[in-house]
Amino acid sequence: MRALHLTSHESPPAFTDLPEETPGPGQIGLRIAACGLNFADLLMISGKYQDTPALPFTLGLEVAGTVEGLGDGVTGLAPGDRVAVYGGQGGLAEYGVFDATRAVRMPASMTPEDAAAFQIAYGTSHLALDHRARLQPGETLLVLGAAGGVGLTAVEIGKLMGATVIACARGPEKLEIARQAGADHLIDARTDDIRAAVKALGGADVVYDAVGGAQFEAAFRACKPEARLLSIGFASGDVPQIKANHLMVKNLTVMGLYWGGYLTFAPELLTGSLAQLFAWYEEGRIKPHISHVLPLARAEEGLDLLRNRKSTGKVVIRIPE
């Protein structure tokens, strides 16, 4: 099988022909149809992601495809089932072996491309806003990086949860995409004073931040008393340093959210969250925004789109069956 393989953090990934594995106990063999790209893939290439696998490994965190093989002890799945899988690695390949407990049946109406773009982005935003921040109807939600893979889903979900949504993104084209996803107010991160613009709108109750750096600092200073700030990621490359005395003055709460981490200590939260999200998808209330669908041979081009911030929503790699 063909796979985008990483053998060194000092060298770029390269396409390699690898033997197809046989699923072991508790595993499934999956004929992969699509793989969603994530900023975490870029961090893995450099060895900076918190869950970077041991070298060598195949890139690609989340996939959709058809079950072809079952290892011993696997129940509830059968060859031919269409599933989405968060595997953490192994997605940019024609075939993969994954833990069966990571597989979720796709709704009948869902395409492989939508499924591959779905779990991490929507799962992160729903768990962050619902479970962690306890976002309430009528509150004001500020989303930084609002046209990105997770940011755009935060706009959608925040609106579904009854919040007034302020979307902050770079440039009018990206802001228009956020507006179409439900944003009530738009801030251009390239030209606007984020702090002043948010304060003019009354301040933020919840901040959803996948950017970090100067944008986090500006949002922090535009919070209402008792606001909650969600630290989702650091696409700017700058991890903000928070002064505890500033938290005290406004009674602020800063909280982190790493979606994949819940698999190790509270998987039932992910299961319940995904059930709600799939229901919303089937009702037509959410729909992944995919700016680029590329073939496997152009996967490195897809990673460059993320690296250079030239995509909106998700980039998906289609893998012929």
Side-chain angles (χ1 to χ4, degrees):
M1 68 172 187
R2 193 161 175 75
L4 189 61
H5 212 53
L6 187 72
T7 58
S8 168
H9 295 303
E10 284 69 50
S11 303
F15 282 105
T16 307
D17 288 322
L18 300 173
E20 290 188 2
E21 296 181 59
T22 300
Q27 295 181 324
I28 60 169
L30 191 71
R31 183 60 57 188
I32 299 172
C35 177
L37 300 186
N38 293 274
F39 190 76
D41 290 304
L42 302 179
L43 296 177
M44 283 186 175
I45 291 171
S46 61
K48 296 178 180 178
Y49 191 57
Q50 60 263 27
D51 271 350
T52 299
L55 294 168
F57 66 92
T58 297
L59 291 165
L61 280 77
E62 57 180 335
V63 300
T66 303
V67 176
E68 283 198 352
L70 303 175
D72 290 342
V74 175
T75 59
L77 291 170
D81 284 348
R82 299 167 68 249
V83 297
V85 180
Y86 171 75
Q89 61 173 304
L92 287 172
E94 294 170 323
Y95 183 87
V97 168
F98 303 99
D99 188 332
T101 60
R102 301 282 187 96
V104 181
R105 278 196 182 84
M106 296 159 48
S109 61
M110 183 175 274
T111 66
E113 290 79 12
D114 278 359
F118 196 84
Q119 289 192 86
I120 293 176
Y122 280 108
T124 293
S125 292
H126 185 248
L127 207 63
L129 295 175
D130 184 58
H131 174 67
R132 294 291 279 148
R134 309 290 183 185
L135 180 67
Q136 299 299 307
E139 289 190 317
T140 297
L141 167 67
L142 169 62
V143 181
L144 304 179
V150 292
L152 201 57
T153 63
V155 172
E156 276 188 281
I157 292 172
K159 195 64 181 173
L160 272 177
M161 293 177 68
T164 296
V165 180
I166 305 171
C168 181
R170 297 169 64 84
E173 292 181 2
K174 291 186 175 182
L175 287 170
E176 174 58 22
I177 290 168
R179 187 194 65 77
Q180 292 175 15
D184 299 286
H185 305 284
L186 307 175
I187 297 174
D188 191 332
R190 287 179 175 173
T191 59
D192 294 337
D193 182 327
I194 296 173
R195 179 193 180 195
V198 175
K199 287 180 73 69
L201 293 168
D205 295 294
V206 174
V207 175
Y208 182 101
D209 175 33
V211 178
Q215 290 193 34
F216 175 90
E217 298 290 342
F220 187 94
R221 298 173 69 188
C223 282
K224 296 180 184 180
E226 292 195 327
R228 292 89 74 201
L229 295 95
L230 289 156
S231 185
I232 306 297
F234 313 104
S236 68
D238 183 356
V239 179
Q241 304 301 304
I242 301 163
K243 294 182 178 180
N245 60 322
H246 291 184
L247 295 176
M248 181 182 67
V249 171
K250 283 190 178 179
N251 296 293
L252 303 180
T253 301
V254 178
M255 55 190 76
L257 190 287
Y258 167 43
W259 183 79
Y262 281 88
L263 288 165
T264 63
F265 68 91
E268 70 282 356
L269 288 175
L270 297 190
T271 301
S273 174
L274 285 172
Q276 175 65 78
L277 290 165
F278 280 137
W280 279 343
Y281 179 91
E282 291 188 284
E283 293 166 4
R285 302 180 73 187
I286 57 176
K287 169 76 173 175
H289 173 85
I290 301 171
S291 64
H292 296 80
V293 178
L294 302 172
L296 181 59
R298 295 172 63 189
E300 291 167 287
E301 179 183 333
L303 291 169
D304 280 338
L305 289 169
L306 297 185
R307 187 178 288 112
N308 297 316
R309 301 185 184 184
K310 292 184 177 179
S311 61
T312 54
K314 294 285 284 192
V315 176
V316 171
I317 303 303
R318 180 185 290 133
I319 302 167
E321 294 184 277

